Amino acid sequence: MIQEAEGIVTGAMETILAISATAGPDIPFVRPEHESLVELGRYKKRGRMIEPAGELTNDEACSLLEAVGRDGDIQSFETLFRYYGPRVKAYMARLTRDPNIAEELMQEVMITVWNKAGQFEATRGNAGTWIFTIARNLRIDAYRKNRRPDFDVNDPAFVPDDTKSAENALADRQDATRLKDAMKDLPQEQIQLLTLSFFDDCSHSKIATKLNLPLGTVKSRIRLAFARLRAALEDGK
Amino acid sequence: MNIRHHLSDELLVGFASGTLEEGWRLAVATHLALCPNCRARLTLMEDAAGELFESISPVPIEVSSFDRLKQRIRNGERNRSASPRQPTEAVKMVSPPTIPEPLRTYLGGDLADLKWKSLGRGAYHIPIKLADRSTTARLLRIPAGKPVPEHSHGGRELTLVLRGSFHDGELLFARGDIEEADASVEHQPVATPGQDCICLAVTDAPLRFSSWFMRLLQPVLRI
Ligand SMILES: [Zn+2]
């Protein structure tokens, strides 16, 4: 079983790129309930499964990431892996039906989390967002051949924030809690549009076609969703 | 800096989700470097995506998966960055670059290093090399005070001002401002007198000569 698994590792990213190039980024991925069960069955034959950890608060996740970054603590890393590994893999699986590709991309994400955990505290107070951002960047790099230009906060021409820098990590963590609550209150139709946008690589016009909605409706629902979230965060201040 | 013209939700979502093609992404990222306001909006979107990510239905993973990961860590893919990243201490240079990253790297230098190609009548441009061919990007220098004939676009166009400014009807676009135009937009931009206007312009590829600066130059180039 282990050998089978290690066979997959050979070639790592090159293989992923080659396979995903043929799979293409545009596969509509609407995962029916039963499909994940089929997949589960397939895995059961191959090896013992990790039970995905069900609960991890943001504070816990932040402490674990700090322990990994500061001390290279492998046990903290394993706890993070049990919680986030299955989620990262689920995110990767939205653009590919091949579980091996999803697995390899998840491995790449988690090794990056290990490598970059030391940078976490200085960036932002939300562990889930931080890991998601790493996963998203790796996914873009795997599925898109072109470069991924980004701004550079260390560039002397960069215009820094005037207020945000003064805020501390605690305020950021309170924001994270408020945002979590606000997301729970969003109407399902708005959650659906955000999911299609962020997880399924759908542009506004693609969503409009997919859901048979006017483009204007898609735009206004998305605008509304962010306006609600912004208002919820500002209410808490 | 006082930026008045910002990114649409659609462009920001495209940036946050990674669906934007390289050329659009270059313009969006360069605006973000200059605009704390849009970065705050981006942060909210990324946090929202992070929350969705927390509530995604997890997919099972084999026990051997973590063993492999541990093996990779042991094999020297070690924790390289145990020290936290230094917080941004803005290096006080005598004069900071005019062109921010990521655009500066694409151009290979700041304004003083650029090799402009003359288009005649005081206008210059520098085509920007992109790996992705679905868009065309270029840096443009429009002569100060030049009016541009009214026209409409054949496709989508993003124009980001880096130095100087231009008027489009009632609207003024200055450093950091981004103008998003599509086929339905009729506009008549005029570079503000006093200083040449330098901007990054991204269009759908192949380059459509209907974009306003090319309209300006079409008679000159006879294209
Ligand atoms: Zn802006």
Side-chain angles (χ1 to χ4, degrees), chain A residues 87-159:
Chain A
R87 284 165 173 79
V88 171
K89 190 169 172 181
Y91 168 66
M92 295 304 181
R94 302 206 51 125
L95 286 194
T96 173
R97 286 169 195 278
D98 186 335
N100 292 341
I101 296 175
E103 165 73 21
E104 279 321 307
L105 287 170
M106 182 276 289
Q107 287 258 330
E108 288 303 316
V109 171
M110 294 313 291
I111 202 90
T112 307
V113 167
W114 169 263
N115 284 331
K116 290 191 169 169
Q119 296 174 7
F120 171 67
E121 196 191 15
T123 52
R124 291 230 297 269
N126 194 330
T129 300
W130 189 75
I131 293 173
F132 172 72
T133 305
I134 290 172
R136 179 204 59 188
N137 288 350
L138 270 161
R139 193 171 89 165
I140 300 173
D141 293 345
Y143 281 94
R144 296 187 168 256
K145 288 179 296 257
N146 53 30
R147 284 194 275 176
R148 180 169 47 79
D150 212 336
F151 56 88
D152 174 6
V153 297
N154 295 308
D155 173 21
F158 179 83
V159 176

Side-chain angles (χ1 to χ4, degrees), chain B residues 17 19 26 32-33 41 45 48 61 76 89 94 108 117 120 123 147 170 179 185 187 191 205:
Chain B
S17 61
T19 51
L26 176 62
L32 286 168
R41 291 167 62 211
M45 288 179 183
I61 286 183
E89 196 59 62
V94 184
K117 293 181 180 164
E170 299 281 284
E179 182 176 50
V185 176
H187 60 172

Side-chain angles (χ1 to χ4, degrees), chain A residues 48 50 103 115 136 159 161, chain B residues 16 39 61 63 65 78 81:
Chain A
R48 277 193 305 126
I50 290 179
E103 165 73 21
N115 284 331
R136 179 204 59 188
V159 176
D161 302 354
Chain B
R39 285 204 306 275
I61 286 183
V63 170
S65 177
R78 60 177 63 246
S81 38

Side-chain angles (χ1 to χ4, degrees), chain A residues 55-103:
Chain A
E55 276 295 327
L56 192 69
T57 67
N58 184 43
D59 280 351
E60 285 165 348
C62 287
S63 309
L64 290 166
L65 264 180
E66 277 163 17
V68 173
R70 195 181 50 232
D71 312 320
D73 180 21
I74 194 88
Q75 269 179 336
S76 298
F77 185 57
E78 182 164 7
T79 310
L80 284 170
F81 179 86
R82 282 173 175 277
Y83 183 80
Y84 285 110
R87 284 165 173 79
V88 171
K89 190 169 172 181
Y91 168 66
M92 295 304 181
R94 302 206 51 125
L95 286 194
T96 173
R97 286 169 195 278
D98 186 335
N100 292 341
I101 296 175
E103 165 73 21

